[in-house]
């Protein structure tokens, strides 16, 4: 090789390194652990819609929700089962009964509850198909669920050709009917939780930090009869996943007392899982 072509190779290598480094630093957000080699999609939640492209590529995808609204929001990804149409699901969402959704939709997960200005990030396996992005949370003033105000948005997920590895997990959580199996002490800082549903029903794991001096009992009391300022603040987490599914939730946790909750309704009793024992306290140090 001539001297000149050697220099060309060196220069090209440096340019490539700068480009790669530059792209690598464009990650989701400095507060969250970078998820390299994963495709990323950021969805803005507003009062009351989701800003999302019509179509995305599936596979293993990092999904971030930014809450640009003035109310709490979450983003449930639900895949239509084979043979189910968008019209059928929209009709059930409008007229009920909500239990009928369980036979029409697969629960794929999603970024869980954050307050206005908050962001929640998860990593999900997205099989190809027709999806709906849904927010089930009710408005505090009128009790109307956000999907009835426009927060139900279709999304087409195409097949993925890329083969990417799963994120490395710092914490493992198992969801069952009706409990969380997880550490009671967790290290503060940026971290990835691997969440697997070993129950028969769908489950989720939003987490919340308790205000100083508040307890799990205070949180339960508030959730049953909201009055005054909430004794906790939502910090994201993973929305409902079906039995045998896995998802990853990314957090940057400061020290404090926390709770994990599941609001998925039990089709038999109609009660949310939190009332069947699916609430757990943990400490972040
Ligand atoms: Cu549950």
């Amino acid at each position: 090789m001539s001297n000149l072509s050697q220099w060309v190779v060196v220069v090209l290598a440096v340019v490539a390194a700068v480009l790669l480094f530059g792209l690598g630093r464009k990650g989701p957000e400095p507060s969250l652990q970078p998820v390299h080699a994963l495709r990323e999609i950021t969805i803005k939640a507003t009062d009351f819609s989701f800003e999302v492209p019509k179509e995305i590529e599936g596979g293993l995808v990092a999904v971030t929700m930014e809450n640009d609204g003035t109310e709490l929001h979450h983003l449930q990804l639900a895949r239509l089962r084979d043979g189910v149409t968008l019209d059928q699901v929209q009709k059930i969402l409008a007229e009920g009964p909500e239990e009928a959704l369980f036979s029409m939709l697969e629960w794929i997960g999603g970024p869980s509850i954050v307050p206005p200005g908050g962001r929640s990030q998860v990593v999900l396996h997205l099989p190809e198909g027709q999806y709906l992005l849904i927010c089930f949370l009710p408005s505090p003033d009128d009790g109307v669920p956000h999907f009835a105000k426009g927060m139900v948005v279709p999304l087409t997920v195409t097949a993925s050709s890329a083969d990417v590895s799963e994120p490395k997990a710092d914490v493992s959580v198992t969801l069952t009917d009706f409990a969380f199996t997880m550490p009671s002490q967790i290290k503060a800082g940026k971290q990835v939780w691997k969440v697997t549903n070993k129950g028969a029903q769908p489950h989720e794991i939003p987490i919340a930090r308790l205000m100083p001096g508040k307890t799990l009992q205070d949180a339960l009391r508030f959730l049953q009869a909201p009055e005054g300022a909430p004794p906790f603040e939502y910090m994201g987490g993973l929305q409902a996943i079906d039995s045998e599914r896995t998802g990853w939730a990314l957090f940057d946790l400061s020290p404090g007392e926390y709770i994990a909750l599941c609001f998925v309704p039990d089709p038999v009793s109609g009660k949310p899982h939190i009332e069947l024992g699916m609430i757990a306290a943990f400490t972040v140090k």
Side-chain angles (χ1 to χ4, degrees):
M1 212 189 278
S2 74
N3 272 347
L4 181 63
S5 58
Q6 275 171 357
W7 274 109
V8 169
V9 168
V10 168
V11 168
L12 285 178
V14 168
V15 167
V18 166
L19 282 175
L20 284 173
F21 186 63
L23 289 174
R25 286 176 62 87
K26 251 184 132 190
E29 185 73 16
S31 67
L32 294 169
Q33 186 153 321
V35 184
H36 292 297
L38 287 179
R39 269 190 316 288
E40 290 167 17
I41 173 166
T42 298
I43 299 167
K44 274 195 206 315
T46 59
D47 307 337
F48 294 95
S49 192
F50 291 115
E51 282 177 28
V52 67
K54 282 199 162 41
E55 187 176 295
I56 63 165
E57 188 184 335
L60 205 56
V61 182
V63 182
T64 302
M65 181 190 74
E66 291 178 351
N67 184 350
D68 280 5
T70 64
E71 298 189 10
L72 296 174
H73 292 299
H74 66 195
L75 194 177
Q76 176 69 51
L77 281 122
R79 182 180 177 275
L80 276 61
R81 292 184 194 276
D82 293 339
V84 174
T85 66
L86 280 174
D87 283 350
Q88 287 172 325
V89 179
Q90 300 271 20
K91 190 167 186 285
I92 295 295
L93 283 170
E95 298 166 17
E98 222 170 281
E99 303 88 76
L101 292 175
F102 286 79
S103 58
M104 305 176 110
L105 301 171
E106 286 176 56
W107 308 103
I108 305 290
S112 201
I113 314 174
V114 280
R119 69 202 317 272
S120 171
Q121 187 175 35
V122 296
V123 173
L124 304 172
H125 278 293
L126 300 181
E128 112 178 88
Q130 181 61 58
Y131 285 64
L132 280 171
L133 276 45
I134 310 172
C135 182
F136 289 100
L137 298 176
S139 287
D141 51 347
D142 57 16
V144 174
H146 290 173
F147 64 77
K149 298 182 171 193
M151 290 187 95
V152 51
V153 175
L155 171 70
T156 302
V157 174
T158 61
S160 167
S161 48
D163 186 20
V164 287
S165 52
E166 296 182 342
K168 201 176 130 293
D170 304 294
V171 173
S172 286
V173 180
T174 305
L175 312 173
T176 52
D177 310 344
F178 300 95
F180 296 104
T181 305
M182 58 182 288
S184 58
Q185 296 246 354
I186 284 176
K187 254 172 86 182
K190 292 171 197 167
Q191 52 199 286
V192 177
W193 292 17
K194 180 180 185 178
V195 181
T196 302
N197 184 355
K198 288 288 176 192
Q201 297 195 17
H203 297 291
E204 64 189 1
I205 183 168
I207 69 164
R209 184 174 52 210
L210 293 167
M211 299 305 182
K214 298 297 180 184
T215 64
L216 182 147
Q217 289 308 324
D218 294 326
L220 269 177
R221 217 170 295 134
F222 179 85
L223 288 163
Q224 273 153 10
E227 209 192 294
F232 56 82
E233 185 180 24
Y234 286 107
M235 304 288 291
L238 181 73
Q239 280 298 115
I241 49 172
D242 276 329
S243 179
E244 297 304 324
R245 290 200 80 84
T246 291
W248 293 261
L250 280 66
F251 298 111
D252 188 0
L253 300 177
S254 55
E257 299 300 323
Y258 287 72
I259 48 173
L261 316 129
C262 180
F263 296 111
V264 171
D266 169 36
V268 180
S269 63
K271 288 181 177 171
H273 291 176
I274 183 172
E275 286 182 32
L276 303 173
M278 227 167 157
I279 178 165
F282 61 96
T283 303
V284 174
K285 280 194 168 167

